[in-house]
Amino acid sequence: MKLDILTRTENQEIQHSIISKIRDLMNYKNLEPGDKLPSERMLSEKFNVSRTNVREAIQKLEFYGLLISKPQSGTFVADIGQVAMNGMIEDILRLEEPDFKSLVETRILLELKTVRLAAQRRTKDDLMQMKMALDAYSEKVKNGEDAVQEDLLFHLAIAKASGNSTMNTFMLIITPEIITNFEKYHVCDKGMAFRGIEEHEDIFNAIKEQNPQLAKAKMKVHFKTLYQYCYNI
């Protein structure tokens, strides 16, 4: 399991360029409501950018409802009028970048809900993905290695297990910037990382037992130090 680190600072200009070019395709009638979006490979070649950049731009447009992803079918342009579509894209391009405090607050609020849903809806496959991330995190921490990515992969697995695609997409959008700030501010010291192993196991067990209240309580414990740190930056 690997999570690409793509900071907003490094990729914002590229993302905005891709979104603007997709808007141009819509304006010049190359893409109309209900049309299927070309593949990531085709768009990356057309716009001369990486497929990762294209994927992130598409995820952002999906989050705001301008594109709709249909399993096993592809990504389609939403049925929104051209004027409204242009206005919404302009708003997206003008959005201010969130600071670390805002990202952490959003993540905490979001995950206290996703962990409850995950406890209610998790499947055996979801549990397997969580366990893989948990084991990878534990191994790196015990070896004295940086485990920020493995930590967040565990939380992304919980978001996926919630069964709510919007929450899952939102987590995917904010996670890269959180990783960057974790590394920038050295959020997790060695003691916190070792405590994280036990806290992750407590959260995992509560989800496995399908106990939403306990899962939320354990997630609150896990976030306590991070929340305090957020306000002391």
Side-chain angles (χ1 to χ4, degrees):
M1 300 172 72
K2 190 177 186 302
L3 190 65
D4 292 329
I5 300 178
L6 297 170
T7 70
R8 292 178 191 272
T9 302
E10 293 171 339
N11 288 326
Q12 183 182 28
E13 188 175 334
I14 296 173
Q15 256 195 67
H16 283 189
S17 174
I18 295 169
I19 290 172
S20 296
K21 287 174 181 176
I22 291 175
R23 176 190 58 191
D24 290 343
L25 290 176
M26 296 174 183
N27 285 337
Y28 292 112
K29 305 297 183 182
N30 292 311
L31 282 175
E32 303 213 32
D35 284 353
K36 183 176 179 179
L37 203 69
S39 68
E40 289 177 5
R41 180 183 59 79
M42 291 177 66
L43 289 175
S44 69
E45 292 174 358
K46 184 178 181 64
F47 300 154
N48 195 28
V49 296
S50 72
R51 290 179 64 175
T52 302
N53 288 134
V54 171
R55 187 177 307 118
E56 190 167 310
I58 289 173
Q59 285 175 346
K60 180 172 285 189
L61 291 174
E62 284 179 351
F63 177 75
Y64 289 104
L66 303 183
L67 297 177
I68 299 171
S69 179
K70 298 180 181 180
Q72 299 181 338
S73 297
T75 303
F76 297 81
V77 179
D79 189 12
I80 300 173
Q82 185 173 321
V83 174
M85 181 77 74
N86 281 326
M88 292 174 71
I89 289 177
E90 284 301 320
D91 287 342
I92 293 169
L93 296 177
R94 282 197 301 264
L95 283 175
E96 292 183 6
E97 293 302 305
D99 57 29
F100 187 42
K101 172 184 170 182
S102 299
L103 287 167
V104 171
E105 286 179 333
T106 302
R107 179 188 170 195
I108 290 171
L109 291 169
L110 188 65
E111 290 210 59
L112 290 179
K113 183 63 177 178
T114 58
V115 76
R116 284 175 55 87
L117 292 175
Q120 295 169 339
R121 301 172 177 175
R122 92 314 180 260
T123 64
K124 289 183 179 179
D125 184 61
D126 291 328
L127 290 175
M128 183 177 68
Q129 293 298 317
M130 280 182 246
K131 188 68 167 61
M132 286 172 61
L134 192 156
D135 290 344
Y137 173 80
S138 299
E139 183 179 352
K140 278 204 168 184
V141 170
K142 290 173 182 177
N143 289 335
E145 301 175 53
D146 179 272
V148 172
Q149 291 194 43
E150 287 72 20
D151 179 6
L152 288 168
L153 280 169
F154 175 73
H155 289 272
L156 286 173
I158 293 173
K160 183 175 181 297
S162 74
N164 185 302
S165 60
T166 301
M167 289 185 177
N168 188 34
T169 299
F170 199 13
M171 279 292 292
L172 288 169
I173 290 172
I174 67 175
T175 292
E177 190 72 6
I178 290 175
I179 290 177
T180 302
N181 280 285
F182 267 39
E183 295 173 342
K184 178 179 177 181
Y185 295 110
H186 307 288
V187 174
C188 294
D189 60 26
K190 193 171 183 179
M192 286 177 64
F194 272 98
R195 286 198 301 276
I197 296 175
E198 183 178 347
E199 290 168 0
H200 280 186
E201 288 175 346
D202 288 342
I203 294 166
F204 173 78
N205 288 330
I207 293 172
K208 185 177 180 180
E209 294 167 9
Q210 294 190 296
N211 188 327
Q213 289 76 23
L214 181 60
K216 182 179 179 181
K218 294 300 182 182
M219 186 67 81
K220 279 187 174 180
V221 171
H222 183 52
F223 279 149
K224 182 178 179 181
T225 304
L226 177 60
Y227 200 81
Q228 291 172 340
Y229 181 88
C230 173
Y231 282 96
N232 290 319
I233 290 178

